[in-house]
């Protein structure tokens, strides 16, 4: 019996993340989430202090689901460019492989919260900065090992890589273009080629 | 008096588009919009049949605001690559220049509606396809005039260009990075350089 509360918490997070991946942050209302997990609204408030607390909790949980799907498998590839390539391969379309019914909740939140000041926006800003820093470290390591050219503008590389991710998100999820993966692969190869030594 | 209804309609669209650019489609509830324009909910229903009708109306209106801001000034540049470059320059950050308080509502809608089947989703799909076709025509014209290489994969070019637009959207609006414009310019120049004759 002692473990009942954490288990319920986990179930709320799982169902909530599934809901958020399909309907965005705005879709995760207290009523809708309570319905999904089969609890009363007041039952939900035993676990979370309010809507923003639930949203931050779900985003935190998304981060916990993301890492084993994306970062951990990439760490098995050889350091430098092969590891960066593996990271990008695991990043593109990660939500589907993580068993989420919708797309990347963080990407969607970046469009949803661009003008809405809130602790949730601050949290997403932090997640985004952290992820860009991680991407930057992988790129920098490829530079240090001579796989990419010295003096490369690493931030520009990451900026363009984020564009490939976002275009892949809209083309695979919104447009449902069967060639989305191939388009992203060609774009990423071109980005890497521009960054090779001697270019 | 005869012109009163169209004027009100225009005002609802203006206020609604401003609201949508800040808070997304989900933020444009009937109650919120009625409050914004100082009308009763039933007063709003004299102009629109329901929430989806308002959302499609606002997206249609966004298209009407978009064209004179983006397409029309580009048509003044010489045909081919200069016109494509002018189009991209006017496209990036267009919403701000159009006087909208928030970002591009269509880009946000692509993330909001990726899993939500509705007539609104169908409408945004149509807008998106139409815009990609327009971009494709501009790229193709630059190919035909020999400014870009023969045999260029025009769809791939447009796909990557959409990634630059989306990355510019998140970095300028969500991250509020002061270098967003410069990042987008460098990325676009690289995309064009890869597509030049002899490359």
């Amino acid at each position: 019996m002692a473990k009942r509360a954490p288990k319920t918490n986990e179930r709320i997070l799982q169902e909530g993340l599934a809901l958020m991946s399909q309907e965005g942050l705005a879709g995760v209302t207290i009523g809708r989430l309570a319905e999904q997990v089969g609890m009363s609204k007041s039952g939900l408030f035993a676990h979370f202090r309010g809507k923003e607390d639930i949203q931050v909790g779900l985003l935190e949980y998304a981060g916990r689901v993301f890492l084993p799907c994306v970062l951990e498998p990439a760490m098995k590839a050889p350091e430098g460019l092969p590891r960066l390539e593996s990271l990008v391969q695991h990043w593109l379309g990660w939500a589907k492989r993580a068993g989420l019914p919708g797309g990347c909740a963080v990407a969607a939140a970046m469009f949803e919260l661009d003008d809405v000041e809130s602790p949730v926006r601050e949290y997403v800003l932090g997640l985004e900065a952290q992820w860009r820093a991680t991407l930057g470290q992988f790129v920098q390591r490829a530079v240090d090992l001579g796989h990419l050219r010295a003096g490369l503008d690493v931030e520009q590389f990451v900026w363009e890589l984020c564009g490939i991710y976002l275009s892949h998100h809209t083309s695979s999820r919104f447009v449902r273009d069967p060639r989305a993966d191939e388009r992203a692969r060609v774009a990423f190869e071109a980005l890497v080629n521009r960054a090779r030594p001697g270019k």
Side-chain angles (χ1 to χ4, degrees), chain A:
Chain A
M1 289 297 284
K3 281 193 175 170
R4 195 167 177 185
K7 265 190 189 164
T8 306
N9 218 48
E10 188 75 14
R11 197 164 60 83
I12 296 170
L13 290 171
Q14 272 173 9
E15 301 270 9
L17 182 57
L19 193 63
M20 184 169 76
S21 88
Q22 284 181 291
E23 302 190 13
L25 282 168
V28 187
T29 58
I30 312 282
R32 190 84 176 70
L33 182 56
E35 192 187 313
Q36 182 99 357
V37 293
M39 285 173 78
S40 65
K41 289 187 190 184
S42 54
L44 262 186
F45 282 116
H47 296 268
F48 298 96
R49 277 163 306 174
K51 193 178 174 183
E52 285 182 349
D53 195 37
I54 291 181
Q55 292 182 333
V56 169
L58 291 178
L59 288 162
E60 220 166 49
Y61 185 70
R64 274 197 277 148
V65 171
F66 177 78
L67 292 180
C69 265
V70 181
L71 201 58
E72 287 170 23
M75 296 310 284
K76 292 176 193 152
E79 272 199 285
L81 185 56
R83 191 170 288 179
L84 171 65
E85 287 169 335
S86 176
L87 186 74
V88 171
Q89 208 178 3
H90 286 94
W91 181 28
L92 294 165
W94 74 274
K96 194 177 175 184
R97 282 190 303 276
L100 295 178
C104 173
V106 176
M110 287 167 66
F111 286 83
E112 196 173 337
L113 301 176
D114 52 357
D115 296 301
V116 186
E117 306 301 331
S118 76
V120 187
R121 175 186 154 77
E122 293 305 310
Y123 189 80
V124 179
L125 261 177
L127 277 183
E128 210 272 337
Q130 211 179 339
W131 180 241
R132 264 185 305 135
T134 302
L135 291 170
Q137 282 161 10
F138 277 64
V139 177
Q140 186 59 54
R141 191 74 188 125
V143 170
D144 294 343
L145 292 172
H147 301 161
L148 297 177
R149 73 162 181 276
L152 178 72
D153 185 340
V154 172
E155 277 184 37
Q156 177 75 28
F157 187 107
V158 169
W159 193 97
E160 294 189 33
L161 182 51
C162 290
I164 294 172
Y165 180 79
L166 293 171
S167 197
H168 180 264
H169 191 293
T170 61
S171 70
S172 63
R173 300 206 46 75
F174 181 71
V175 178
R176 299 173 190 168
D177 179 352
R179 298 184 69 183
D181 287 348
E182 189 193 332
R183 296 274 177 227
R185 188 185 49 73
V186 170
F188 179 61
E189 274 176 18
L191 180 61
V192 167
N193 281 337
R194 256 170 67 208
R196 286 192 194 274
K199 289 279 171 165

